[in-house]
Structures are given as C-alpha cells and as structure tokens.
Amino acid sequence: MITMAEIARLTGVSQPTVSRVLNGNKAVNPEIRERVLACAREHEFQPNVMAQSLVGSKTHLIGVVVTDIGNAFFADLVKHIEQAAGQAGYSMILFNSGYDRDHEKECLDVVRRYRVDGLIVVPVEAESAQWKEQVAKLEIPAVVITRKASGMDSFYVDHAEAGAQAARHLCEQEYEEFLFLGNTADEKYIGFEQILKELRKGVSTHLTVITAKDTEQVRDALERHFSKHQGPTGIFAYNDRRAVQVLGLLEQMRIRIPEEAGVVGFDNTYMCEYLYPKLSSIAQPNQKMAELAVTRLLERLEHPEETKKLDHPLHAELICRESSDRVGRKENEK
Amino acid sequence: MITMAEIARLTGVSQPTVSRVLNGNKAVNPEIRERVLACAREHEFQPNVMAQSLVGSKTHLIGVVVTDIGNAFFADLVKHIEQAAGQAGYSMILFNSGYDRDHEKECLDVVRRYRVDGLIVVPVEAESAQWKEQVAKLEIPAVVITRKASGMDSFYVDHAEAGAQAARHLCEQEYEEFLFLGNTADEKYIGFEQILKELRKGVSTHLTVITAKDTEQVRDALERHFSKHQGPTGIFAYNDRRAVQVLGLLEQMRIRIPEEAGVVGFDNTYMCEYLYPKLSSIAQPNQKMAELAVTRLLERLEHPEETKKLDHPLHAELICRESSDRVGRKENEK
DNA sequence: TTGTAGGCGTTATCAT
DNA sequence: ATGATAACGCCTACAA
C-alpha cells in the first residue's frame, strides 16, 4: 500500500508537499499538484487513518455498543446509525454486549483502545451508576439510544406514552376487557394501565397480565381469561413476536379477530403487513432516533465544551390494521 | 488517556520497560513489574491500537461489508461474526453496501484507509470481475460469505440443494401439485424444479411460479392456481416473509393447512414457531457459516502465503412443522 | 535487566 | 511555494 513518502519519492518532491496536495492545501504549485495527484490516483492512494489519528487525535471512528445486534429492531437502528455516520465521514466499530454487563465493560475497554471519537450505546442497564462511571472514564462524547439514562444524552421512545396510546386505541375500538403480555415493570405497562384506569373509570373492566413466553403457558392464561370474561378483549403485547404468538393461539381457540379480541403489537415488524389478519402495531421512529443520536454526537464532537445534556423522548406511532380495527370492521358490515 | 511514556515517568523507568511489562515480557525486574502494573491499573491504561498498528502493521480490525444490515438474516450473521472475531481479539468495522455497487466500492476504500487486517464480505454481485479486482487490490485476506465467488474463499449455503430438500420433503408429504414463490433465477428454484421433475416423472403434476410480492397479486395468482388444480399443493417460498404472507392468504381462502396445501419457508425466522400453524422452514447454518468464515480469515492472516482458495458450500436444514406435516397429521387423525 | 535510538505514516510548525 | 524537523504512541533492535 503506497504511502505519502513513496509518492514523494516518485514525484521528486518532499513528503509534506504530498500531504498538502492531498489535503487540498492551496499553497502549492499547480504543476506539482497535478503530478502528485496523478501519481496518487494511479496507485490508488488511501491515507492511513491510523497514522492520521495518531497525530491529529481524531480517529473518525465511532464506537457502537448494542445489547443484541441479532435483534431486527437494533439491526435496523444500527443500519441507520451507520448511514448517518458514514455521510459525516465516520465509520463504525460495532460491538454486541449480549445483555451482559461484564461483556459490555469489555466492549468499552476495546472501544477505548481504538480511541474512537465518540460512542453510541444501547446500555444493558441505563441507570447503573457503575456503568455511567465507566462511560464517563472514556472521556469522549457518548449518547445513549433506545433508553433513558439521566445525566447523559439520551434518545429514546417514551414507552409509557406508547402504552397509553395502545390503551386509548383499544378503548376507542370499544374493547371492554384488557390483556397485557409482558412484564409489569415495563414502562409500556405503566402507561397502558394508567390510561385504562382513567378511561374505564366506573365501568367494570379487568386487566389480565400474562408474563409467560412459553406457548403452552400463554395458551392456558388466555383460556383462563376468556372463560372468565365475556366482553371483547383488547390485547397489547410488548413486542410483535408475542403478538404473533397470541394471534396464532386466538385462531386456534376460534376467537374472532377483531370482533372478540383485538391485538396490538410493538415494533411494527415487516411481518405485520403479511399476517392475516394484518397486525396493528406500534412503530418506533428508528431512523429518526438514529439520525438524532448521530447528529447529537457530531455536535458534541465539535463542541466538547458544551456540557448540557439532552433528554430527548420520541413518540411512537400506533399503526392500526385489521387485528384491532373493530369499529372499522363494524362499519363495513353495515 | 494515559500513555506508556506517562506511566514510565510516573514510575521512574523508561518507556520501553513499560512496554515490556505490559506485553508480558519475562525479562523484567519483578519489583518494577509490580510498580508499573499497579500504575497502569490505577489509570486504567489501554494501549493505543492506532499506534500499535502503525508500527506492528496489525490493526486487529476486520472489515465487514454486507448488503443489508437491517435484514434479520444478515444481522444474525454479523452477530456471530462479531462474536467469533471478538474471541480471537479482533474487532469489526461494519459497513452497509445497501446492494449498491458504487457504495460497496466506497466501503472498500474506507476499509483500506483503516488498514484492516482482513475482510469478510457479502458481495452485491459475487461474480463481478470488477469487484473481485477491487478486493484483490486491497492486498489483504478476504472471505466471501453467503455467496459463492469463484477464486475466492467462499462460505455459503447451497441454495439449489436447499430447494431440492424442499421438493423432496413436499413429495414425501404426498403433495401432488406444486407452487414456488420467488424468482426462477434463484438457485432454490433450480434445485426445486429439478428434483420435482425426477420424483414426479410420469405423474401429472404442475409447478406454478409466483413472482409477485404485492399481496393482491399473490392472492390472484393463488386463486388461479387452486381453481385449476385440485390435488394437495406443496408450496415453497424463497423466504419466510413470503411464506407468512401465503399462510395468511390461504387462511382467507379457507384452504386447509396442511391438508390441502403445505407451506415451506426459508430462513427459519423466529416467527415460525409462533405462527399458527407453525411454519416449516429451511434453516441456514448462520452461526457455523460465520464461524467458519472468521476461522478461515484468521488462518489466512497467519499464513498469508497459503494461496489455495476454499470453496465451502454448507447444507441447509429443513425444519418440518405443522404447515407442511401432512402425513404426520393424517397419522394423528387415525 | 534496563535504557537509548530509530522508525511506522501522518500533520503541523517552522524556516527558507 | 516548499522542505526540514518534530511529534503522535508504540515496538523492536541494540547497547549498556
């Protein structure tokens, strides 16, 4: 691989001159400029970023650490990060923490070895003081994405608000009983339950929670719910995966959708469109989130002194499809 | 960020001594060793890979260029690559070519700037001579994954063989008519059709091909097929996405699965397990493929002189589930 | 066992 | 306008 020194030798000038030419510095004889450029082109010169970074202290690398690259949601996020960063001339070293704090720490160490200019992270535990300290030690701008970490730049979807949307939607669709699949610690549940309470005040309503993931257990729980409660049930699942599972089980149980039960998923996976019935789902603004995070990071890189932290919750958007369009369905039947 | 020179100053030794200690070189006074190690630990020293690579000409970076990180299949692949590489002490710079040759070329240029030690690529066009030349110019070991590129190390699933498996399976399940969703240029189709011809020699059989992706068009095509052909139909879709779509449409058309139609997808997405009926699908050995690719790359890194190229097709595996278990279903009903 | 010297490929700061 | 020269952080002789 050709170096500046080599080009200098070939063209009979000094190496710094080559540097000037290649970096577009005006102050250089047009003749020499051409000669050098020609030589560089011929040998397809590419500057050695390692050397550049050694002197300039900019690597043009951003470290990205996520909890699970295999997950379609994060994969999509990473894709948009790569794109936004690439446009700004930054490349991405990617690490997978695998939801493991220890491994996450190792990733941070490696990131440090590469002297990346900045960091974008999906933390395993966003509010862990220990983790925050580890990140702070890197002494580089870091932005958290997908989660809220107080005291740090964070771009994330407000899950409670998303849960609230789901609740509002299911109420509008005139469901009378409710079911949540997921963990009650999930912000989505908090928001879901709260709005439900408000909207169904005084009316007899039940909210069943299913924590299980195993299909048989979910089936049992569903059967118990439907044997106890007759009214049409609005179901909200913490992700599309679970929602699809429920869709299949309801089908088996011969429960009509959306008449007797309505289902809303989360993530708005491509599958939603292909299922029958099409699955309503809550979409996170992935691209926007990624772009905002990158933009913010670049901003910080240019103004390291700026110390105010951004807390930037984004809104999810509920996409209503057949699986929960109870009112629309009724209209049609008229 | 602390440097070796700084540690040297703090501990009153020379910088090379620090280097020796930190690199586990035996020949150093135990006392000094301890002193240096303590200091390094205290300041959480991490070597500057940029500097290391500058002198040692090893970056411990591998460049990974894929056509679409957002795709769950590639995301999973990337995850396993990251893991395997990480275990060997390599990190990954990841690029997304977006199926665009021009952008792919740009990625290769950036990769070159970082002087990565090796390359793992999912090429946009595996047999493009121009592309191969571009890769060759990098003068680093490169392995192709997911596709076969003659003259280069390639790890990929034999799609024709996978199609053949699908055909064999659907015949064993006693389907009499057949349907393929996808492109006829797809190796999967080639293998599928060929085996079908062999196995159904002399018997009246039809093989319908649906190229459309749009739901309405697919529905029309399906309806046309089923109005013309009465026998139970074995359906093979080029990916799970399409298979799910078909599953939904068949459901709408009140065609019983797996009795009247059997469906086999491709990629064995997690969804398969959650659908009703559960979707049979062909699984690619992602992890194995990724590990083999990384292993091979490391091998090449250690023996750059070795010039023989590996062509390594892997076998896909058909996972039979409810959507195509016609015979098993019949057995059960007895 | 330890320190000195040189060099990796750049950029930046001087002179010239 | 151009060329020496130093410096970035590290490693590898070589010398002591």
Side-chain angles (χ1 to χ4, degrees):
Chain A
M1 186 130 309
I2 199 164
T3 67
M4 287 190 175
E6 185 66 6
I7 295 184
R9 206 179 53 75
L10 291 172
T11 55
V13 299
S14 76
Q15 177 267 316
T17 298
V18 175
S19 173
R20 279 188 278 261
V21 171
L22 265 24
N23 290 310
N25 192 317
K26 309 282 163 199
V28 40
N29 184 320
E31 257 181 63
I32 294 192
R33 144 168 274 109
E34 276 322 307
R35 199 145 34 102
V36 168
L37 281 177
C39 182
R41 258 197 302 273
E42 183 189 347
H43 297 276
E44 304 204 44
F45 171 83
Q46 291 288 350
N48 185 329
V49 184
M50 303 289 164
Q52 284 180 326
S53 80
L54 199 53
V55 42
S57 79
K58 279 214 74 171
T59 56
H60 285 278
L61 268 182
I62 70 173
V64 176
V65 183
V66 307
T67 49
D68 181 9
I69 333 177
N71 181 313
F73 167 65
F74 291 122
D76 192 54
L77 207 62
V78 162
K79 169 173 150 187
H80 293 299
I81 291 177
E82 194 264 355
Q83 196 165 6
Q87 268 161 16
Y90 284 81
S91 299
M92 171 182 77
I93 342 192
L94 179 62
F95 298 87
N96 196 41
S97 68
Y99 293 101
D100 176 354
R101 285 281 289 114
D102 292 339
H103 188 57
E104 187 182 42
K105 162 70 170 140
E106 287 169 23
C107 293
L108 291 181
D109 285 344
V110 177
V111 153
R112 218 147 74 97
R113 286 210 266 279
Y114 280 95
R115 302 297 191 267
V116 301
D117 293 335
L119 196 61
I120 295 183
V121 212
V122 178
V124 174
E125 226 177 296
E127 294 298 2
S128 154
Q130 198 188 1
W131 174 76
K132 283 185 188 174
E133 194 186 331
Q134 286 165 2
V135 171
K137 277 228 190 78
L138 298 195
E139 294 172 315
I140 52 169
V143 349
V144 173
I145 190 164
T146 273
R147 306 257 192 281
K148 176 189 164 71
S150 57
M152 302 181 65
D153 283 327
S154 312
F155 296 86
Y156 57 95
V157 163
D158 185 335
H159 281 214
E161 200 261 350
Q165 270 190 62
R168 261 184 238 110
H169 169 74
L170 290 173
C171 286
E172 279 167 15
Q173 297 296 326
E174 302 176 4
Y175 290 103
E176 295 165 12
E177 307 290 343
F178 300 89
L179 209 152
F180 176 79
L181 278 105
N183 201 297
T184 52
D186 192 328
E187 294 273 331
K188 288 193 278 293
Y189 176 76
I190 319 270
F192 187 68
E193 194 211 12
Q194 190 190 326
I195 295 299
L196 230 43
K197 264 199 190 131
E198 286 178 21
L199 294 179
R200 307 281 303 172
K201 199 157 41 184
V203 196
S204 157
T205 287
H206 304 88
L207 170 52
T208 306
V209 173
I210 301 182
T211 316
K213 294 188 171 191
D214 175 76
T215 301
E216 293 315 311
Q217 291 177 35
V218 174
R219 186 206 313 274
D220 288 351
L222 282 176
E223 277 170 355
R224 231 172 299 133
H225 171 93
F226 282 99
S227 67
K228 269 195 277 189
H229 311 297
Q230 338 298 322
T233 297
I235 302 177
F236 178 39
Y238 79 98
N239 69 14
D240 284 345
R241 208 182 279 221
R242 201 93 302 134
V244 170
Q245 185 183 40
V246 169
L247 235 38
L249 289 169
L250 292 175
E251 170 74 34
Q252 278 178 59
M253 294 163 65
R254 307 269 169 236
I255 290 177
R256 282 176 309 143
I257 302 170
E259 290 83 352
E260 298 172 82
V263 182
V264 173
F266 192 87
D267 276 350
N268 195 36
T269 320
Y270 63 82
M271 284 282 175
C272 295
E273 280 289 339
Y274 294 134
L275 292 163
Y276 178 74
K278 290 183 180 147
L279 179 63
S280 296
S281 189
I282 295 184
Q284 299 197 49
N286 278 4
Q287 178 162 4
K288 197 172 169 196
M289 197 156 50
E291 284 168 357
L292 283 170
V294 172
T295 305
R296 175 57 170 173
L297 186 59
L298 298 180
E299 219 173 275
R300 274 233 176 298
L301 288 177
E302 283 174 16
H303 310 287
E305 70 289 355
E306 254 299 357
T307 169
K308 260 172 284 174
K309 299 301 181 186
L310 234 61
D311 180 54
H312 197 124
L314 304 176
H315 290 297
E317 183 192 2
L318 195 151
I319 316 274
C320 174
R321 299 197 181 86
E322 298 163 356
S323 71
S324 70
D325 189 18
R326 189 157 178 268
V327 170
R329 176 64 161 265
K330 264 199 278 188
E331 295 291 319
N332 265 339
E333 280 177 1
K334 278 179 196 165
Chain B
M1 186 129 312
I2 198 165
T3 67
M4 287 191 174
E6 186 65 8
I7 295 184
R9 206 180 53 75
L10 291 172
T11 54
V13 298
S14 76
Q15 175 267 314
T17 298
V18 175
S19 172
R20 280 187 278 262
V21 170
L22 265 24
N23 290 311
N25 192 317
K26 308 281 160 199
V28 41
N29 184 320
E31 258 181 61
I32 295 190
R33 143 167 275 110
E34 277 321 307
R35 198 144 37 99
V36 169
L37 280 178
C39 182
R41 259 196 302 272
E42 183 190 345
H43 296 276
E44 304 204 46
F45 170 82
Q46 291 289 350
N48 185 329
V49 183
M50 303 289 164
Q52 283 181 325
S53 80
L54 201 52
V55 41
S57 79
K58 278 214 74 172
T59 57
H60 286 276
L61 269 182
I62 70 173
V64 177
V65 183
V66 307
T67 49
D68 182 9
I69 334 178
N71 181 313
F73 167 66
F74 291 121
D76 191 54
L77 207 63
V78 163
K79 169 173 152 187
H80 293 300
I81 291 176
E82 194 265 353
Q83 196 165 6
Q87 267 160 17
Y90 284 81
S91 298
M92 171 180 78
I93 342 193
L94 180 61
F95 298 88
N96 195 42
S97 68
Y99 292 102
D100 176 354
R101 285 280 289 113
D102 292 338
H103 188 57
E104 186 182 43
K105 162 67 170 140
E106 287 169 21
C107 294
L108 291 182
D109 285 343
V110 177
V111 153
R112 217 145 76 97
R113 286 210 266 278
Y114 280 95
R115 302 297 190 266
V116 301
D117 291 336
L119 195 62
I120 295 183
V121 212
V122 178
V124 174
E125 225 177 297
E127 295 297 3
S128 152
Q130 199 189 0
W131 174 76
K132 283 185 188 175
E133 194 186 331
Q134 286 165 3
V135 171
K137 278 228 191 76
L138 298 194
E139 293 173 314
I140 53 169
V143 349
V144 173
I145 191 164
T146 272
R147 307 256 192 282
K148 175 190 164 69
S150 56
M152 303 180 66
D153 283 328
S154 313
F155 296 85
Y156 57 96
V157 163
D158 184 336
H159 281 215
E161 201 261 351
Q165 270 190 64
R168 262 184 238 109
H169 169 74
L170 290 173
C171 285
E172 279 167 16
Q173 297 296 326
E174 302 175 5
Y175 290 103
E176 295 164 13
E177 306 290 343
F178 300 89
L179 209 153
F180 177 80
L181 277 105
N183 200 297
T184 51
D186 192 327
E187 294 273 330
K188 288 195 276 294
Y189 175 76
I190 317 269
F192 188 68
E193 194 211 12
Q194 189 190 328
I195 295 298
L196 230 43
K197 263 198 192 134
E198 285 178 22
L199 294 178
R200 306 282 303 172
K201 198 156 42 184
V203 196
S204 158
T205 286
H206 305 87
L207 169 52
T208 305
V209 174
I210 301 182
T211 316
K213 294 188 170 188
D214 175 75
T215 300
E216 292 315 310
Q217 290 176 35
V218 174
R219 186 207 312 274
D220 288 349
L222 281 176
E223 277 171 355
R224 232 172 298 134
H225 171 92
F226 282 99
S227 67
K228 268 194 278 188
H229 312 295
Q230 337 297 322
T233 296
I235 303 177
F236 178 39
Y238 80 98
N239 70 14
D240 283 345
R241 206 182 280 221
R242 201 93 300 137
V244 170
Q245 185 183 40
V246 169
L247 234 40
L249 289 169
L250 292 175
E251 171 74 33
Q252 279 179 58
M253 293 163 65
R254 305 270 170 237
I255 289 177
R256 283 177 307 144
I257 302 171
E259 291 84 352
E260 299 171 83
V263 181
V264 173
F266 192 86
D267 276 349
N268 196 36
T269 320
Y270 63 84
M271 284 282 174
C272 295
E273 280 290 339
Y274 293 134
L275 292 163
Y276 177 74
K278 289 182 182 150
L279 179 62
S280 296
S281 189
I282 294 184
Q284 300 197 51
N286 278 5
Q287 179 161 7
K288 197 171 168 196
M289 196 154 55
E291 284 169 357
L292 283 170
V294 172
T295 305
R296 175 58 171 173
L297 186 60
L298 299 180
E299 218 173 275
R300 275 233 175 299
L301 288 177
E302 283 174 16
H303 309 289
E305 70 290 355
E306 255 296 356
T307 168
K308 260 173 284 173
K309 300 302 181 186
L310 235 60
D311 180 54
H312 197 124
L314 302 176
H315 289 296
E317 184 191 3
L318 195 153
I319 317 276
C320 175
R321 299 197 180 85
E322 296 163 355
S323 72
S324 70
D325 190 16
R326 190 157 178 268
V327 170
R329 177 62 160 267
K330 266 198 276 186
E331 295 290 319
N332 264 341
E333 282 178 359
K334 279 180 197 164

